[in-house]
């Protein structure tokens, strides 16, 4: 059975962020992920990881003004210096947390044409990948559906793979989000199988609603078994919105 990591941005919102590590461990999780660690001191998070014997699986590069609606800055040509500074900051945190992979959210190219956005994104990824590799950290890129985030630049597995090919380094991989890709393209099992060597991390939620597995149309028992038979050895991040309380909705989680 795949390894599941609790996404602490989405799960255990019944308590404050630092207390979610305790809650995740109590619920049986061995790994955690979340959007960003940067609002907290790294040593505060390290203490929570160690106290609960948790693996830090993933976090994102800094993504601009999240509260103001930004969803990444990697496609914005006037924010390249900020992006590069964010790579350094992500390396600092990931190294302290023992996190071996970070995800780049491409962003929404407002007032930027598609060709310029693409060129900027590729150049930024070419900058980030070797710096992260030198620190022992994988760089991931994620496609996101345009229903939840209208205008997001990377929207399909095919586009994500084409960008990775253009970057042309061995330290860039796909973060494959089952929920987003069910909305944008479907054919989940075969897409994962065809691109398994490029997929370093998987995330899940059911559709519609982005709630826990078993609440929507995706056949998760089949998919978990399929992924397991493919030999996927990475983590699956539980990036969903619990329908009620987090623990009450964990009945889907294999023992």
């Amino acid at each position: 059975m795949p390894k599941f990591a609790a996404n602490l941005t989405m799960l255990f919102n019944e308590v404050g962020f630092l207390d979610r590590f305790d809650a995740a461990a109590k619920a049986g999780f061995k790994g955690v992920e979340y959007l960003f660690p940067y609002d907290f001191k790294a040593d505060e998070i390290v203490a929570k990881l160690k106290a609960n014997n948790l693996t830090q699986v993933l976090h994102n590069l800094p993504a601009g003004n999240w509260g103001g609606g930004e969803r990444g800055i990697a496609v914005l040509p006037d924010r390249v210096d900020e992006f590069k500074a964010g790579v350094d900051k992500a390396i600092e945190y990931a190294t302290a947390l023992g996190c071996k992979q970070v995800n780049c959210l491409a962003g929404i190219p407002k007032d930027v044409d598609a060709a310029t956005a693409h060129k900027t994104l590729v150049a930024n990824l070419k900058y980030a990948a070797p710096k992260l590799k030198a620190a022992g950290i994988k760089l991931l890129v994620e496609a996101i559906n345009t229903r939840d985030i209208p205008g997001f630049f990377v929207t399909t597995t095919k586009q994500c793979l084409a960008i990775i090919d253009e970057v042309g380094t061995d330290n860039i991989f796909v973060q494959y989000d089952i929920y987003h890709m069910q909305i944008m393209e479907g054919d989940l099992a075969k897409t994962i199988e065809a691109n398994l060597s490029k997929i370093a991390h998987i995330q899940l939620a059911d559709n519609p609603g982005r709630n826990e597995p078993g609440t929507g149309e995706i056949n998760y028992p089949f998919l978990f078994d399929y992924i397991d038979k493919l030999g996927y050895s990475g983590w699956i991040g539980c990036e969903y919105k619990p329908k009620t309380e987090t623990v009450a909705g964990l009945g889907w989680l294999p023992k």
Side-chain angles (χ1 to χ4, degrees):
M1 183 57 63
K3 302 179 294 184
F4 297 96
N7 185 294
L8 301 186
T9 301
M10 305 284 273
L11 304 186
F12 302 105
N13 277 226
E14 298 85 1
V15 297
F17 179 75
L18 289 176
D19 291 328
R20 294 173 199 171
F21 293 82
D22 308 317
K26 186 176 180 181
F29 287 99
K30 302 300 183 184
V32 294
E33 63 175 38
Y34 36 76
L35 286 177
F36 311 108
Y38 311 114
D39 286 342
F40 299 87
K41 293 180 179 179
D43 58 3
E44 293 179 305
I45 300 175
V46 169
K48 284 295 185 179
L49 292 168
K50 288 182 176 179
N52 291 288
N53 195 27
L54 289 167
T55 298
Q56 177 66 51
V57 173
L58 177 85
H59 62 76
N60 293 318
L61 292 171
N65 183 2
W66 194 264
E70 291 186 329
R71 294 297 179 262
I73 59 173
V75 295
L76 304 178
D78 61 341
R79 307 281 287 279
V80 169
D81 288 344
E82 182 182 346
F83 177 86
K84 291 180 176 179
V87 171
D88 291 337
K89 190 171 187 179
I91 290 172
E92 176 187 346
Y93 269 82
T95 300
L97 302 176
C99 184
K100 298 302 182 182
Q101 51 190 16
V102 300
N103 181 48
C104 175
L105 294 167
I108 303 168
K110 292 181 179 179
D111 303 318
V112 179
D113 65 86
T116 300
H118 177 86
K119 181 179 179 181
T120 304
L121 175 59
V122 170
N124 277 330
L125 295 174
K126 284 184 176 181
Y127 171 84
K131 292 206 70 171
L132 289 163
K133 183 177 182 178
I137 302 164
K138 292 179 181 178
L139 174 61
L140 278 54
V141 181
E142 179 182 15
I144 293 179
N145 82 78
T146 53
R147 187 166 68 201
D148 287 2
I149 306 182
F152 196 83
F153 190 69
V154 182
T155 61
T156 66
T157 304
K158 183 178 179 180
Q159 182 189 7
C160 198
L161 289 166
I163 290 167
I164 287 172
D165 286 345
E166 189 172 348
V167 172
T169 174
D170 62 356
N171 192 44
I172 184 167
F173 301 87
V174 174
Q175 177 174 299
Y176 186 85
D177 190 300
I178 293 169
Y179 164 74
H180 290 306
M181 292 304 93
Q182 171 68 0
I183 294 171
M184 295 303 294
E185 61 192 28
D187 204 20
L188 303 169
K190 285 300 183 181
T191 301
I192 294 171
E193 181 177 10
N195 301 292
L196 189 66
S197 65
K198 290 289 189 180
I199 295 173
H201 188 63
I202 295 174
Q203 291 179 323
L204 63 74
D206 218 329
N207 181 63
R210 202 174 187 175
N211 303 128
E212 48 265 85
T215 60
E217 66 189 0
I218 301 173
N219 186 348
Y220 269 109
F222 166 82
L223 203 55
F224 293 152
D225 185 56
Y226 198 92
I227 291 169
D228 216 28
K229 288 177 180 177
L230 290 176
Y232 174 72
S233 59
W235 292 84
I236 297 181
C238 302
E239 194 184 43
Y240 64 82
K241 298 180 290 186
K243 268 204 159 183
T244 56
E245 292 187 346
T246 302
V247 174
L250 291 177
W252 67 269
L253 191 66
K255 300 299 182 185

